[in-house]
Amino acid sequence: METLEEKKLTITRTFDAPRALVWDAWTEQKHIKEWWGPKRFTNPVCEWDAKKGGQINIHMKGPDGTIYPMDGIFIEIEKPEKIVFNGGALDGAGKRLFDQITSVSFMEEGKKTKVVIDLHFKNILPEAMVNIGGANEGWNMSLDKLETLLLKLK
């Protein structure tokens, strides 16, 4: 099976919230369920066990009702500084469309928190290029939703 070359993407966002609150929003399943995924997407299935070796299983539901499943495993948790997990989008048969390593760093900047997300995609199947092409926009929509949630939690 042919795969495409690797892709990398870095997204940086500063939130007007303390690092402990931003950390909780990234590590507590009840919060992930609220902000994960692009605008107008929901997460009817959201399993997020933020500990080393913990499982990730999310089914994002698009506005048209389409389900976009993903899975993964937490590789590293360094409270409150860093989260690393692998994962990837799944097709309808549960096969990975690509592999993704996501590293999220949390840095205090006064009363704000700078978050840097490094994404490394590999083993990309041709049918996954739409996912990879929309990663920057999708992640930024998710982070907009996270920002809204943080305002409610403050």
Side-chain angles (χ1 to χ4, degrees):
M1 184 175 303
E2 182 183 345
T3 61
L4 303 175
E5 74 273 8
E6 299 179 11
K7 301 282 185 187
K8 292 184 179 183
L9 173 65
T10 298
I11 300 170
T12 302
R13 180 78 67 99
T14 300
F15 296 99
D16 188 11
R19 182 165 67 170
L21 186 60
V22 178
W23 176 266
D24 288 348
W26 272 88
T27 57
E28 294 182 18
Q29 181 174 293
K30 66 182 179 183
H31 297 318
I32 291 291
K33 186 175 177 82
E34 284 193 53
W35 69 262
W36 190 269
K39 182 179 177 181
R40 297 183 17 228
F41 277 59
T42 60
N43 299 297
V45 174
C46 183
E47 298 166 11
W48 187 268
D49 188 13
K51 65 182 180 197
K52 187 173 182 177
Q55 300 288 313
I56 299 168
N57 179 28
I58 296 176
H59 292 189
M60 295 184 294
K61 184 177 181 181
D64 66 355
T66 302
I67 300 292
Y68 300 91
M70 67 160 289
D71 69 356
I73 295 175
F74 287 95
I75 298 168
E76 182 180 348
I77 301 282
E78 292 179 30
K79 185 177 182 177
E81 297 172 357
K82 189 175 187 180
I83 298 170
V84 181
F85 58 91
N86 73 7
L90 306 172
D91 69 10
K95 180 182 73 173
R96 280 264 178 100
L97 296 172
F98 54 84
D99 292 317
Q100 175 182 327
I101 299 289
T102 304
S103 177
V104 186
S105 300
F106 303 82
M107 292 151 277
E108 288 181 316
E109 292 191 342
K111 294 181 180 181
K112 297 181 180 187
T113 305
K114 180 179 179 180
V115 174
V116 178
I117 305 166
D118 289 306
L119 303 153
H120 182 186
F121 303 96
K122 57 186 179 179
N123 302 320
I124 305 166
L125 297 179
E127 59 265 37
M129 288 310 295
V130 67
N131 302 72
I132 305 302
N136 186 56
E137 181 180 16
W139 269 100
N140 276 293
M141 285 185 199
S142 290
L143 295 175
D144 290 345
K145 290 166 61 177
L146 173 57
E147 192 163 28
T148 299
L149 174 64
L150 291 168
L151 289 172
K152 287 195 293 186
L153 296 175
K154 278 175 75 173

